Amino acid sequence: MNIFRLAGDMTHLVSVLVLLLKIHTIKSCAGISLKTQELYALVFTTRYLDLFTDYISLYNTVMKLIFLGSSFSIVWYIRRHKIVRRSYDKDQDTFRHYFIVLPCLVLALLIHHKFTFKEVMWTFSLYLEAVAILPQLVLLQRTRNIDNLTGQYVFLLGAYRALYILNWIYRHYTEPHYVHWITWIAGIVQTLLYADFFYYYFQSWKNNVKLQLPA
Amino acid sequence: QFHEDVKDEL
């Protein structure tokens, strides 16, 4: 474990807790894409198949349970909670799941480290996580208004993967044969997808104006 | 064997 990865995990943890807290306290999911949340639940499910087979550390297991629990709770709130679901904007959140899931699945079947079920699922989860934010970014572009918590959520989510890139660079130089180009490429693509959001987020923060994304 | 370590990441 290194400081970059710990900071990345904590940032990721805070991002999902910020979202869960927002939905739980104000009983609203306005501006949140259910599609993205469902994709994240799928990312964690396919990423953590080894949850009960390989024990790495207490930290690893606890964090996996938190990410799984929080992502499914968020999906449950938006789908089932009698008050929250009313604020879900299904007419705007129209990104088709299979436009994202199918290409990632095909890519995982073509490009992976080992052709085993767990390894292909794990690779699929990496590709899926890289693009899972797209429905949320599309929704933000459409609804234009970004409330603070949603802005913070997307910012923290992007920051976590940027910190992971520093972690991979650090591990590449400190651990022999630590080579995982699939992880690195997926992580870089993921962070680049947030790049324009980051730009507008900093602009709004610097000029102290409300965050607006160009149409 | 070089795979195993990447699985220690979340």
Side-chain angles (χ1 to χ4, degrees), chain A residues 21-38:
Chain A
L21 195 71
K22 158 181 173 170
I23 293 174
H24 179 74
T25 41
I26 64 175
K27 294 288 182 284
S28 160
C29 64
I32 299 298
S33 163
L34 171 62
K35 306 286 182 170
T36 284
Q37 297 310 317
E38 288 169 338

Side-chain angles (χ1 to χ4, degrees), chain A residues 11 15 18 22 31-32 40 130 133-160 162 189-207 209-214:
Chain A
T11 306
S15 74
V18 155
K22 158 181 173 170
I32 299 298
Y40 278 132
I133 195 64
L134 280 173
Q136 179 64 63
L137 294 180
V138 165
L139 184 66
L140 288 180
Q141 302 268 0
R142 283 183 181 162
T143 52
R144 301 296 301 275
N145 72 322
I146 302 171
D147 68 78
N148 268 348
L149 278 171
T150 308
Q152 280 158 10
Y153 167 68
V154 177
F155 172 75
L156 290 168
L157 213 48
Y160 122 77
V189 165
Q190 179 171 342
T191 307
L192 289 176
L193 276 178
Y194 287 79
D196 68 323
F197 176 83
F198 280 140
Y199 172 75
Y200 292 111
Y201 193 81
F202 279 123
Q203 291 300 315
S204 77
W205 175 70
K206 195 173 63 178
N207 308 328
V209 295
K210 191 162 168 40
L211 178 55
Q212 291 278 332
L213 293 179

Side-chain angles (χ1 to χ4, degrees), chain A:
Chain A
M1 172 62 81
N2 60 66
I3 185 62
F4 302 113
R5 196 167 108 209
L6 185 61
D9 289 341
M10 290 307 108
T11 306
H12 194 195
L13 179 67
V14 168
S15 74
V16 291
L17 295 186
V18 155
L19 184 59
L20 200 50
L21 195 71
K22 158 181 173 170
I23 293 174
H24 179 74
T25 41
I26 64 175
K27 294 288 182 284
S28 160
C29 64
I32 299 298
S33 163
L34 171 62
K35 306 286 182 170
T36 284
Q37 297 310 317
E38 288 169 338
L39 290 174
Y40 278 132
L42 184 58
V43 166
F44 292 131
T45 306
T46 50
R47 176 89 51 97
Y48 301 153
L49 293 174
D50 62 351
L51 179 62
F52 300 112
T53 55
D54 309 340
Y55 178 79
I56 307 258
S57 70
L58 182 63
Y59 171 82
N60 191 273
T61 303
V62 167
M63 291 295 277
K64 284 177 177 175
L65 290 172
I66 292 174
F67 285 136
L68 280 167
S70 56
S71 61
F72 279 97
S73 306
I74 288 167
V75 169
W76 177 86
Y77 262 109
I78 300 178
R79 277 185 168 277
R80 294 275 184 277
H81 191 283
K82 59 188 179 307
I83 302 175
V84 175
R85 61 189 291 184
R86 286 206 294 258
S87 56
Y88 171 54
D89 192 349
K90 62 179 176 304
D91 304 327
Q92 297 263 36
D93 189 22
T94 55
F95 208 103
R96 296 268 181 280
H97 277 316
Y98 47 80
F99 281 168
I100 287 184
V101 171
L102 290 182
C104 290
L105 194 55
V106 167
L107 197 59
L109 288 168
L110 294 174
I111 304 174
H112 42 262
H113 288 304
K114 277 186 300 184
F115 193 69
T116 63
F117 175 72
K118 275 174 70 173
E119 190 69 24
V120 170
M121 282 293 104
W122 181 80
T123 311
F124 165 71
S125 82
L126 274 177
Y127 298 149
L128 185 61
E129 186 188 2
V131 291
I133 195 64
L134 280 173
Q136 179 64 63
L137 294 180
V138 165
L139 184 66
L140 288 180
Q141 302 268 0
R142 283 183 181 162
T143 52
R144 301 296 301 275
N145 72 322
I146 302 171
D147 68 78
N148 268 348
L149 278 171
T150 308
Q152 280 158 10
Y153 167 68
V154 177
F155 172 75
L156 290 168
L157 213 48
Y160 122 77
R161 213 59 181 165
L163 287 164
Y164 252 73
I165 292 175
L166 298 181
N167 152 63
W168 294 323
I169 293 169
Y170 176 84
R171 292 189 75 172
H172 178 61
Y173 286 112
T174 55
E175 296 171 31
H177 59 251
Y178 180 74
V179 177
H180 296 287
W181 51 275
I182 290 183
T183 311
W184 298 344
I185 292 173
I188 288 167
V189 165
Q190 179 171 342
T191 307
L192 289 176
L193 276 178
Y194 287 79
D196 68 323
F197 176 83
F198 280 140
Y199 172 75
Y200 292 111
Y201 193 81
F202 279 123
Q203 291 300 315
S204 77
W205 175 70
K206 195 173 63 178
N207 308 328
N208 198 14
V209 295
K210 191 162 168 40
L211 178 55
Q212 291 278 332
L213 293 179

